[in-house]
Amino acid sequence: MKAAIAGASGYSGEELVRLLLRHPRAELAAVTSRQYAGQSLARVFPKFGNDPRAKTLCFTEPDPELLAKTADVVFLALPHGVAAGYAAPLLHLGCQVIDLSADFRLKSPARYKEFYGKDHPAPDLLSKAVYGLPEARRAEIKNASLIASPGCYPTSILLPLLPLLKTGLIQSAGIIADSLSGLSGAGRKAELDYLFVECNESARPYGIPKHRHLSEIEEQLTLAADRPVVIQFSPHLIPLNRGILTTLYLAPAKPFQNESQMAAFGDQITRCFQAAYAGEPFVRLLEAPALPDTKNVAGTNVIEIAWRLDPRTGRLIVLSALDNITKGASGQAVQSMNILRGFAETDGLC
Ligand SMILES: NC(=O)c1ccc[n+]([C@@H]2O[C@H](COP(=O)([O-])OP(=O)(O)OC[C@H]3O[C@@H](n4cnc5c(N)ncnc54)[C@H](OP(=O)(O)O)[C@@H]3O)[C@@H](O)[C@H]2O)c1
């Protein structure tokens, strides 16, 4: 199977290159970048210099017809708003498309406009797209032609929350999510806010109270809970290259009044997470005293999840850690490709 990456010179594109060069069942057949067109992968990314394929494969201008001639599956690692313009012709030319941008993650063009500030560039395709969260939508991904790979913050919030909402163990109102993100989440671009001196020794919130990712988070939570879910979400930038740590503050559906009720609720939470994820290769459920740590997932497709009950506040606290570029973007997209093409889900990812 031949794969191509549009936008291979960005952070998620580079991670796709790393994963696809070593993939046992996929051949990396094309990579695009406007600024590096004509240069080899090995020249632009010296870290791949020992790979024979990286020495010969050169970046090309992003041209859907050329991509469709070269590849069966095309990954779009492009900015939102740009990706949709490539998805439509690629689908028309018979490719399977895995989009890492936000262009196809929402079902409603109006909601896209509300959060992304412009009309959706290809509204007709929204109903065709499958939200590519493998642990939640494996069967749909298998039959998709257009996969909308979830955002990094959404993955860190949805994987812990979906089973809890589906089983009705927590209240769907009043959910609070605090997330800390490394700087690669902002993309590989030169902007004042992301210069080393601005970010090093700094931790700062942004996008409060209405970050764009709320749109897909709330859409997916609403589907899981079968009622409208609105959450409070506070993202922060921290001086880390890659990684997201999320803390969720949740109210049990039935408040616990004493220690034995708390212990019984704790057993239900454990059973809920085990039922959802015990067999999942990329979800690591941590047992106390362990807590999630971005350094334990960096460069991997794994999300770590742990939880605690607070007897003083009556809250359930759930924590997760993932690599925003791998499980939060490119690793998850390759996981979806594996499902789509009938490969082992772990191919190229372990
Ligand atoms: N970074 C993350 O943690 C992360 C996580 C999940 C999802 N995502 C999503 O994945 C997508 C890519 O993110 P990224 O962080 O990898 O971005 P990035 O580092 O800024 O890279 C963007 C890529 O797109 C190309 N590009 C930019 N504008 C283009 C245009 N108008 N036409 C064609 N190519 C264009 C760039 O190459 P040239 O300029 O050389 O053409 C580059 O290869 C975004 O939609 C982002 O929201 C990112």
Side-chain angles (χ1 to χ4, degrees):
M1 191 222 80
K2 294 190 174 184
I5 306 164
S9 62
Y11 286 141
S12 54
E14 177 189 10
E15 179 74 347
L16 281 167
V17 170
R18 179 177 81 87
L19 296 170
L20 291 171
L21 280 178
R22 70 179 195 194
H23 197 285
R25 311 282 298 270
E27 178 193 335
L28 183 55
V31 288
T32 82
S33 158
R34 296 162 308 165
Q35 56 185 310
Y36 298 117
Q39 299 185 43
S40 72
L41 264 178
R43 177 160 181 192
V44 174
F45 294 124
K47 66 162 89 161
F48 303 129
N50 288 344
D51 189 302
R53 182 86 188 119
K55 287 183 186 147
T56 54
L57 186 61
C58 287
F59 285 96
T60 60
E61 290 285 342
D63 171 1
E65 286 201 10
L66 194 65
L67 290 172
K69 272 191 203 137
T70 326
D72 310 294
V73 173
V74 180
F75 292 89
L76 303 178
L78 302 167
H80 68 266
V82 175
Y86 287 84
L90 285 166
L91 288 166
H92 183 68
L93 292 163
C95 291
Q96 292 169 315
V97 175
I98 303 179
D99 178 23
L100 279 72
S101 87
D103 279 355
F104 298 104
R105 295 179 192 155
L106 303 176
K107 287 292 164 219
S108 142
R111 199 152 163 83
Y112 181 91
K113 187 168 186 182
E114 179 191 343
F115 280 85
Y116 290 90
K118 49 190 167 190
D119 288 327
H120 195 282
D124 295 351
L125 290 180
L126 287 177
S127 60
K128 217 178 159 74
V130 168
Y131 193 73
L133 190 61
E135 290 75 9
R137 299 195 178 272
R138 200 165 268 125
E140 291 159 76
I141 291 170
K142 208 171 172 43
N143 297 312
S145 53
L146 173 58
I147 294 172
S149 232
C152 43
Y153 285 127
T155 302
S156 81
I157 291 171
L158 291 173
L159 285 175
L161 273 184
L162 289 176
L164 297 172
L165 276 176
K166 279 184 190 158
T167 49
L169 283 172
I170 56 165
Q171 293 178 29
S172 56
I175 294 172
I176 298 174
D178 272 347
S179 295
L180 311 176
S181 170
L183 289 157
S184 56
R188 193 169 179 234
K189 55 184 176 245
E191 265 184 32
L192 183 64
D193 276 355
Y194 307 116
L195 295 180
F196 181 82
V197 176
E198 306 300 322
C199 301
N200 189 39
E201 300 293 337
S202 148
R204 60 172 187 260
Y206 71 107
I208 290 177
K210 201 177 174 192
H211 188 279
R212 284 169 168 168
H213 280 171
L214 270 171
S215 52
E216 67 185 270
I217 295 168
E218 289 176 349
E219 185 165 301
Q220 295 302 318
L221 294 180
T222 294
L223 287 170
D226 206 15
R227 72 180 70 150
V229 179
V230 175
I231 74 163
Q232 198 76 61
F233 170 48
S234 301
H236 304 78
L237 275 184
I238 55 167
L240 203 70
N241 283 353
R242 45 206 291 170
I244 287 182
L245 183 77
T246 286
T247 306
L248 297 156
Y249 304 91
L250 311 167
K254 286 189 202 144
F256 44 83
Q257 312 288 353
N258 53 44
E259 274 187 23
S260 73
Q261 285 179 4
M262 186 173 98
F265 182 62
D267 288 344
Q268 287 181 300
I269 300 295
T270 301
R271 280 200 299 275
C272 169
F273 278 130
Q274 281 179 348
Y277 296 134
E280 289 293 344
F282 299 116
V283 182
R284 188 152 64 224
L285 298 174
L286 302 181
E287 284 179 22
L291 286 170
D293 187 329
T294 58
K295 76 171 181 292
N296 295 335
V297 292
T300 79
N301 197 46
V302 169
I303 179 170
E304 287 189 340
I305 298 176
W307 59 270
R308 296 287 187 276
L309 288 170
D310 185 343
R312 297 177 323 112
T313 60
R315 286 212 177 88
L316 167 64
I317 302 162
V318 184
L319 306 107
S320 74
L322 54 70
D323 183 325
N324 56 296
I325 299 285
T326 318
K327 183 60 176 162
S330 311
Q332 181 144 269
V334 169
Q335 192 181 347
S336 281
M337 177 195 78
N338 288 340
I339 296 169
L340 185 67
R341 303 297 296 197
F343 303 154
E345 203 164 314
T346 51
D347 273 357
L349 292 170
C350 284

